[in-house]
Amino acid sequence: MIALCPNSPQECFDLTIRAFNLSEQFRTPVMFMTDECVGHMTEKVVIPPADQIDVYPAAGPGGLRANTCRSRPETTWFRIWPTRGKATAST
């Protein structure tokens, strides 16, 4: 299980992006744990332009990523599960 614990409002922003990326990469929920102290902090948060934020590519239909190929399963880090009720080449 992946758990992230920020120490400041800036870290909350940065770790939120990291939590989404880790969740997409490892296909698992990510726990984002803050506490009362961080919740009451006031701090200026630097938000970079959207094109400068690294985003892990989201899974598309059938669990495939945009840069993967069904004919070369070694290029993916996860197993492609067959869709219920549909026959695939692996079944």
Side-chain angles (χ1 to χ4, degrees):
M1 176 153 97
I2 301 170
L4 302 175
C5 305
N7 276 338
S8 68
Q10 181 65 51
E11 229 179 51
C12 281
F13 177 81
D14 297 335
L15 287 182
T16 299
I17 295 169
R18 183 156 171 76
F20 276 92
N21 288 337
L22 289 170
S23 179
E24 285 293 336
Q25 181 178 358
F26 295 108
R27 307 296 294 159
T28 185
V30 174
M31 299 296 294
F32 191 78
M33 302 182 299
T34 61
D35 61 2
E36 175 262 338
C37 292
V38 175
H40 287 280
M41 286 183 183
T42 304
E43 177 181 312
K44 186 174 182 178
V45 176
V46 177
I47 301 175
D51 59 344
Q52 293 181 1
I53 297 174
D54 292 327
V55 178
Y56 191 82
L64 290 175
R65 303 208 186 284
N67 60 352
T68 61
C69 177
R70 186 178 288 273
S71 63
R72 292 180 29 218
E74 69 276 1
T75 62
T76 63
W77 287 94
F78 56 91
R79 181 176 176 180
I80 301 170
W81 295 95
T83 307
R84 176 179 270 171
K86 293 183 180 179
T88 61
S90 63
T91 56

